[in-house]
Amino acid sequence: MSVLAPRRMARQVSVGGVLVGGGAPVSVQSMTNTRTEDVRATLDQIERLADAGCDIVRVAVPGRAAAEALGAIVAGSPIPVVADVHFDHRLALAAARAGAHGLRINPGNIGGRERVAEVAAAARERGIPIRVGVNSGSLEDDILAREGRPSAAGMVESAVRHAEMLESVGFPDIVVSLKSSDVLMTVEANRSMAARCDYPLHLGVTEAGTISTGAVRSAVGMGILLAEGVGDTIRVSLAGPPEEEVRAARTVLSSLGLRRRGVTVIACPTCGRTEFDVQRTAERVEAETAGIRADIVVAVMGCSVNGPGEARDADVGVAGGGDSAVLFRKGERICVIEATLVLERLLSEIRAMANEDRPGEVSRTSAGGVR
Ligand code: SF4
C-alpha cells in the first residue's frame, strides 16, 4: 500500500501535448532567465533544461520585442513553451498568435472583462490553457486591507476571482498556482484551493532562495502537498541556474516515487571507516551522467562493512575496501577493481546499462559520450 494519498483528480488540460491534471504524471517546469528577445541564448537554455528533464518551459514576455521573438522560440523548442505576461493583454494575444502552448496571466490585471474575453477567445481558438498565478506578495488591495497581511485565505480568494473571470467568458482550461515565500502559507493555500475546485494545481514556493536552501524549502512544501495527492505540475524556484531547478524538481518527484528519470546516486555519508573518496566519486558520477534518461540507481559506498548491502540493492554499486572496491551489478558481485579505477569503471557500467535500457541512446544531445 502506498504511503501517499491517492492523487486528487483534477480536470485535465494539455500544454502542447504535455497533459496536466486528470491523473497525468506530475510534470516539471522551469523558466528561462535569458533575455527572451535573444532567441539563440533562450533556445540554448531551453535545450539544457529539456536535457535535465524539464517538461514545460516558461519564458517572460515583458514587451513587444520578446513577443516578436516568441515564434522562433516556440518553433525551435523541444518542449512546450508557456508565455508569462503581465498587465498588457496585447502581449498575451501576440503570444497566442506566436504559437505559445500556454499563457500565464492574471485576468484581473489586464484591464476589464472585454480584454479577458479577447485573450480567452484567442486561447480557446488555439486550444491552449491559461494559468492563473497568484503570489502572496501581489494580492489585490481590497483583499490585503481586509486580511491585514498576505494570507492563505487571501491567496485563495484572489485565485478564485481570476478563475471566475475566465469561467464567466466561457473559458474552462485553467491551471491555478498559489505561491508564497512562506512554505506553510503555500501549503495551506494549495490545500484549501484543492478542496474547493477541480483546477489542476501548479505547485511552487516562490522566491525560495539559493540553490541548496531553496531546494530544501521547495521540497518541504511540495513534498507535503504531493504526499497528500495535491499538485499536478511543479516548479522549484531558485536563485540560480534554472537547470538546478529541474534537477531539484526531479529529485522531489523521484523521492516520492511519483516519477523516476535518469541516474539516482546514493552515497554513504562517510565516516572513520571510509576507504576511498566517496564524495568526489559520487559528485563526478552525478555530473557525468546528468544527460542519461534511463532510470538507474547507483550506490557509492565507502567501506566493506556496511557498503555491500546498499551496493547490492542498487542497479550498479561499489563498496570500498582499502586499495580496491567491490563492484556490484543488479545484485551480483561482478569483480574487485583498483580504487583508482572506481570512477572510470562505474561510468562504463552505467553507460552500458543506459544503452541496454534505450539502445543507441546515451544522452539526448550528446552522440559521442555521456554528458
Ligand atoms: Fe562508514 Fe562504511 Fe557506512 Fe560509509 S558505508 S558511512 S564508510 S560504515
Side-chain angles (χ1 to χ4, degrees):
M1 199 175 90
S2 173
V3 294
L4 305 184
R7 298 268 312 276
R8 164 180 170 267
M9 208 40 70
R11 71 176 73 166
Q12 191 170 67
V13 302
S14 169
V15 184
V18 174
L19 299 178
V20 177
V26 178
S27 48
V28 170
Q29 306 207 19
S30 186
M31 188 168 185
T32 54
N33 60 6
T34 52
R35 308 285 303 175
T36 304
E37 49 271 40
D38 186 342
V39 174
R40 191 62 266 153
T42 302
L43 280 176
D44 284 349
Q45 191 170 65
I46 292 176
E47 282 286 348
R48 292 195 297 276
L49 290 170
D51 230 18
C54 185
D55 299 305
I56 298 168
V57 67
R58 182 159 48 113
V59 299
V61 183
R64 190 112 318 259
E68 279 163 11
L70 206 55
I73 292 169
V74 170
S77 173
I79 51 177
V81 177
V82 173
D84 188 281
V85 179
H86 284 281
F87 308 121
D88 189 340
H89 82 295
R90 292 166 304 179
L91 294 176
L93 295 174
R97 276 197 302 274
H101 301 103
L103 300 174
R104 188 265 172 153
I105 190 164
N106 283 350
N109 299 340
I110 62 170
R113 187 182 157 85
E114 232 167 78
R115 289 177 177 176
V116 172
E118 235 183 297
V119 173
R124 191 183 310 107
E125 196 182 309
R126 288 164 180 83
I128 62 176
I130 295 178
R131 172 158 71 91
V132 164
V134 170
N135 283 356
S136 60
S138 53
L139 292 178
E140 292 88 333
D141 290 344
D142 66 307
I143 294 178
L144 270 182
R146 205 194 51 242
E147 292 285 316
R149 59 190 169 138
S151 67
M155 291 166 70
V156 170
E157 183 176 343
S158 175
V160 168
R161 270 188 205 177
H162 289 299
E164 278 175 353
M165 286 187 83
L166 287 171
E167 294 276 8
S168 76
V169 295
F171 189 84
D173 292 338
I174 300 166
V175 178
V176 170
S177 65
L178 300 136
K179 300 186 184 184
S180 168
S181 56
D182 181 318
V183 174
L184 295 180
M185 194 186 295
T186 301
V187 170
E188 191 186 347
N190 279 281
R191 256 187 203 152
S192 164
M193 193 73 194
R196 66 180 280 179
C197 72
D198 73 342
Y199 299 129
L201 295 178
H202 164 128
L203 303 185
V205 175
T206 196
E207 292 112 27
T210 55
I211 293 175
S212 56
T213 312
V216 172
R217 286 162 48 73
S218 296
V220 170
M222 290 176 184
I224 292 171
L225 289 163
L226 289 167
E228 293 174 2
V230 173
D232 301 285
T233 182
I234 65 173
R235 179 198 176 192
V236 172
S237 301
L238 299 176
E243 295 90 322
E244 296 295 339
E245 298 187 346
V246 175
R247 287 187 197 109
R250 285 272 162 192
T251 305
V252 169
L253 295 181
S254 66
S255 303
L256 292 168
L258 288 169
R259 277 184 86 182
R260 292 282 303 275
R261 175 195 186 276
V263 173
T264 303
V265 179
I266 293 167
C268 80
T270 71
C271 71
R273 290 196 189 89
T274 310
E275 296 185 274
F276 73 104
D277 193 343
V278 169
Q279 182 187 344
R280 182 178 165 276
T281 305
E283 284 172 355
R284 287 290 307 280
V285 168
E286 223 165 55
E288 298 275 337
T289 61
I292 290 180
R293 286 198 286 170
D295 174 7
I296 299 171
V297 176
V298 179
V300 181
M301 307 299 293
C303 74
S304 53
V305 178
N306 293 333
E310 286 285 353
R312 197 174 273 122
D313 285 346
D315 294 311
V316 188
V318 282
D323 296 338
S324 59
V326 183
L327 177 75
F328 294 87
R329 185 179 165 126
K330 298 274 184 200
E332 299 227 353
R333 185 184 156 119
I334 302 294
C335 61
V336 176
I337 41 182
E338 274 181 48
T340 54
L341 298 176
V342 164
L343 177 65
E344 202 178 307
R345 184 60 195 268
L346 261 182
L347 289 174
S348 84
E349 289 289 335
I350 296 165
R351 286 169 185 156
M353 203 172 270
N355 256 341
E356 280 166 21
D357 196 59
R358 292 172 179 266
E361 179 182 326
V362 173
S363 88
R364 294 193 54 195
T365 56
S366 162
V370 176
R371 296 197 326 161

